[in-house]
Amino acid sequence: MATLTYVFTLFIFLFINKITTTNSQPFLNSVEQDSVYRVLDSLNSAIPWRSLFPDDLCSSAPHGVVCGYTTLPTQSDPGTVNILELSFGYVSDHNPNPPCDPNSTFDPLILSSFPYLRKLFFYNCFSHQPVSLQPFFELGSGLEELVFIQNPSLFGSLSESITNLTNLKRLVITGTNVSGEIPDGFGLLNNLEEVTLSGNKLAGSLPENVSKLKKLKILDLSRNGFEGNIPAGIGELKSLIKLDLSLNFFSGGFPASMKGLKCLELLDLSYNKFSNCGIPLVFEEMRELKGLFLSGNELGGVIPDIWGKLRGVNGIGFSGLGLVGDIPSSIGVFLSNLSYLALDNNKLTGSVPLEFERLKMLSELNLKNNSLSGRLPFSAKFVSRIGRKLGVQGNPELCLDKRVFGSFSKINSDLGHLKVCKRVEVPKYALPHVSSSSRSIGYQVSSLLVMFVWFYFI
Ligand SMILES: *[C@@H]1O[C@H](CO)[C@@H](O)[C@H](O)[C@H]1NC(C)=O
Ligand SMILES: *[C@@H]1O[C@H](CO)[C@@H](O)[C@H](O)[C@H]1NC(C)=O
Ligand SMILES: *[C@@H]1O[C@H](CO)[C@@H](O)[C@H](O)[C@H]1NC(C)=O
Ligand SMILES: *[C@@H]1O[C@H](CO)[C@@H](O)[C@H](O)[C@H]1NC(C)=O
Ligand SMILES: *[C@@H]1O[C@H](CO)[C@@H](O)[C@H](O)[C@H]1NC(C)=O
Ligand SMILES: *[C@@H]1O[C@H](CO)[C@@H](O)[C@H](O)[C@H]1NC(C)=O
């Protein structure tokens, strides 16, 4: 039955890679042709690959097997073709690669028969039989992408021999049994643009030489056992767009050199052991920042007023940081694209800034477990938009205006637990600090508008 399903999906998603140019079409050499069958058989022996794809695999191959010219044809010479990419593992209807059998056995040594291989991709292929990572590092300098996603029985470590892959641009190993440390020589792989190693059993520290990876755009080491400080060299990764070190044991503070990360859009350092360094002003220099996630580290200190320079931010995760002091109103003034704000489980005091009402994109706001007080400054429209994603419980001094929120306690039980405000308090409206006078007039006008909206709802 399983076999039938496989064959069936295969027929539905039978994608044919054709080389369309000359009439005198070159053929894939018999060594590579035979090796492709051997790889396919080892990944799924239930499918009769040789009879389903009896012809030259450069004219007709299962999706995921990609050929290309390695010598271009001329009038007298038909050129040569070789296997360039091999992708395995059914991902979705839109990515119909050959499925792998859960019991697939695979001998990576077969891959040495493909001298022009540029890309290797395995999704959900090795889940029972142990497969070693080491032989993949012997594939030599042609390989540009090495991708393993969700292969729990892939094992081994990132040994020095990975430096054999001198042209590697993309290294993705996630959801495997791969362990050990990042080798010192890793910095030699200076063509790397993406290093995603999340969800493995890696440990040790991030070597200083990582600073040599000048083309790196993505560094994701999340969900491993890494420890130690962030090396100062990280600031030299000028092309970095995403840095995710979450769910590890990194400690210490954040190096000042991080101000060099001018292109960074996502910074996720949550759930590590960073401590007592506060939220440093260095983040203010990352002008492209969209997501800043630091939750689950005992940083302490106050929420800095850095938001005027970080106007593109749309997500802030500051849960459980030991933060004290007020919530700066500048978050509401400047972050017009903010959609996610988590400030729960801190020791924040004062009232919720009136300016939060301006956050038109906000879809989740978590203020639970703080010591906030006073009236919740939101309109009925605001509360109905955020609904259940507004978290306010665990702030005993917070109150709400029954006339505005009465009907919402059904959709959000947090609101039902708040006490009702006793009398109409005239809110204190704090103007943000702005330098240019024309701007400050703008803010005064808009703050009058907010006051108007405020009184309208009272
Ligand atoms: C995989 O192997 C196990 C036992 O070795 C067997 O019970 C199972 O049916 C096999 N699965 C497939 C799809 O062949
Ligand atoms: C992962 O490796 C450990 C030994 O390091 C082994 O005990 C375990 O069975 C492996 N898990 C899988 C899914 O292969
Ligand atoms: C790969 O690197 C290891 C050690 O770094 C070396 O011993 C081996 O010969 C290299 N293999 C190839 C194919 O270059
Ligand atoms: C990487 O840095 C370490 C010290 O942190 C050094 O011992 C090693 O030689 C460096 N390796 C390379 C390849 O630069
Ligand atoms: C908000 O998002 C939009 C759409 O992604 C973008 O065009 C705009 O520049 C952003 N605003 C700021 C202040 O970054
Ligand atoms: C609030 O704090 C208490 C006590 O520390 C904790 O048990 C509870 O899970 C927290 N609630 C939320 C929603 O985080």
Side-chain angles (χ1 to χ4, degrees):
M1 193 57 214
T3 312
L4 268 180
T5 319
Y6 282 145
V7 176
F8 183 65
T9 45
L10 199 77
F11 274 120
I12 291 180
F13 304 119
L14 194 70
F15 277 61
I16 291 171
N17 297 300
K18 271 198 186 299
I19 291 182
T20 48
T21 36
T22 51
N23 298 331
S24 53
Q25 199 166 346
F27 285 90
L28 184 62
N29 65 73
S30 60
V31 174
E32 287 188 50
Q33 175 97 5
D34 190 59
S35 298
V36 174
Y37 289 135
R38 283 167 63 209
V39 174
L40 291 167
D41 283 340
S42 74
L43 291 172
N44 195 331
S45 55
I47 296 176
W49 299 104
R50 282 170 208 259
S51 48
L52 276 177
F53 299 96
D55 300 326
D56 176 36
L57 288 171
C58 280
S59 325
S60 165
H63 187 84
V65 176
V66 176
C67 273
Y69 281 105
T70 46
T71 314
L72 286 175
T74 61
Q75 273 181 339
S76 54
D77 179 0
T80 44
V81 290
N82 294 88
I83 297 291
L84 302 184
E85 299 181 9
L86 292 171
S87 302
F88 305 105
Y90 183 81
V91 180
S92 75
D93 289 358
H94 304 291
N95 193 352
N97 290 329
C100 295
D101 188 301
N103 292 341
S104 63
T105 56
F106 179 71
D107 179 4
L109 290 179
I110 308 173
L111 297 172
S112 57
S113 321
F114 304 111
Y116 293 93
L117 200 59
R118 286 193 311 227
K119 175 181 172 180
L120 257 179
F121 174 104
F122 296 92
Y123 172 78
N124 216 346
C125 283
F126 315 128
S127 45
H128 290 109
Q129 305 295 329
V131 170
S132 170
L133 184 59
Q134 298 314 312
F136 292 93
F137 300 154
E138 303 293 331
L139 290 176
S141 59
L143 204 65
E144 293 173 7
E145 289 187 57
L146 182 57
V147 180
F148 298 97
I149 299 173
Q150 218 43 51
N151 294 284
S153 62
L154 182 74
F155 72 98
S157 61
L158 300 175
S159 64
E160 290 289 345
S161 58
I162 195 174
T163 57
N164 291 341
L165 306 178
T166 49
N167 284 310
L168 202 60
K169 292 194 171 86
R170 214 173 150 232
L171 177 66
V172 177
I173 304 177
T174 93
T176 74
N177 209 4
V178 169
S179 57
E181 306 191 359
I182 295 180
D184 273 343
F186 203 69
L188 296 172
L189 295 173
N190 57 10
N191 286 306
L192 278 170
E193 291 170 18
E194 172 176 0
V195 174
T196 295
L197 300 174
S198 64
N200 300 297
K201 297 185 176 160
L202 295 165
S205 56
L206 183 54
E208 182 70 37
N209 324 36
V210 77
S211 63
K212 305 227 170 74
L213 305 177
K214 302 288 185 212
K215 295 180 188 164
L216 205 59
K217 293 191 173 82
I218 297 176
L219 179 58
D220 180 349
L221 305 180
S222 60
R223 292 182 289 124
N224 280 288
F226 289 111
E227 60 188 14
N229 295 348
I230 298 182
I234 197 120
E236 290 171 43
L237 304 180
K238 307 281 184 215
S239 313
L240 209 58
I241 293 172
K242 169 180 172 180
L243 177 60
D244 187 348
L245 304 180
S246 63
L247 293 153
N248 281 290
F249 304 100
F250 285 108
S251 57
F254 310 121
S257 63
M258 285 178 85
K259 70 172 188 292
L261 302 176
K262 300 284 186 211
C263 298
L264 204 64
E265 293 181 12
L266 174 71
L267 179 59
D268 193 344
L269 304 175
S270 27
Y271 304 102
N272 276 286
K273 304 269 175 220
F274 297 111
S275 63
N276 298 321
C277 55
I279 299 173
L281 295 177
V282 62
F283 297 131
E284 193 177 38
E285 305 302 323
M286 302 170 183
R287 300 295 162 83
E288 302 298 323
L289 214 53
K290 292 191 166 70
L292 178 57
F293 301 97
L294 304 175
S295 297
N297 292 288
E298 265 305 313
L299 301 184
V302 300
I303 302 176
D305 210 341
I306 54 180
W307 311 106
K309 290 181 178 165
L310 298 176
R311 296 184 187 205
V313 167
N314 59 31
I316 297 177
F318 285 177
S319 306
L321 296 184
L323 297 172
V324 297
D326 291 359
I327 302 174
S329 56
S330 54
I331 289 181
V333 174
F334 295 116
L335 304 186
S336 53
N337 278 351
L338 194 64
S339 75
Y340 174 85
L341 177 60
L343 300 174
D344 56 291
N345 292 289
N346 287 296
K347 295 170 224 158
L348 297 167
T349 50
S351 55
V352 179
L354 268 181
E355 293 82 351
F356 274 21
E357 178 71 30
R358 298 192 203 175
L359 298 170
K360 298 288 182 247
M361 306 301 281
L362 203 60
S363 60
E364 181 160 357
L365 174 60
N366 192 346
L367 303 171
K368 291 180 186 182
N369 276 355
N370 279 289
S371 299
L372 299 167
S373 57
R375 184 183 298 260
L376 271 188
F378 305 129
S379 66
K381 193 175 159 204
F382 183 95
V383 177
S384 73
R385 197 182 72 231
I386 300 187
R388 282 195 180 82
K389 298 287 181 69
L390 173 63
V392 291
Q393 78 178 43
N395 291 283
E397 296 307 312
L398 218 49
C399 71
L400 60 77
D401 191 326
K402 201 77 185 168
R403 272 159 58 204
V404 178
F405 299 121
S407 56
F408 295 111
S409 46
K410 282 188 213 74
I411 57 163
N412 185 327
S413 63
D414 272 24
L415 294 175
H417 290 116
L418 284 191
K419 62 181 182 182
V420 177
C421 301
K422 286 205 177 66
R423 58 197 159 77
V424 175
E425 297 163 31
V426 177
K428 269 193 293 180
Y429 191 83
L431 275 178
H433 304 284
V434 277
S435 43
S436 103
S437 56
S438 64
R439 276 183 176 185
S440 97
I441 290 168
Y443 287 126
Q444 277 168 24
V445 170
S446 53
S447 57
L448 278 176
L449 198 68
V450 169
M451 299 265 270
F452 174 77
V453 172
W454 172 247
F455 285 118
Y456 176 81
F457 282 108
I458 287 174

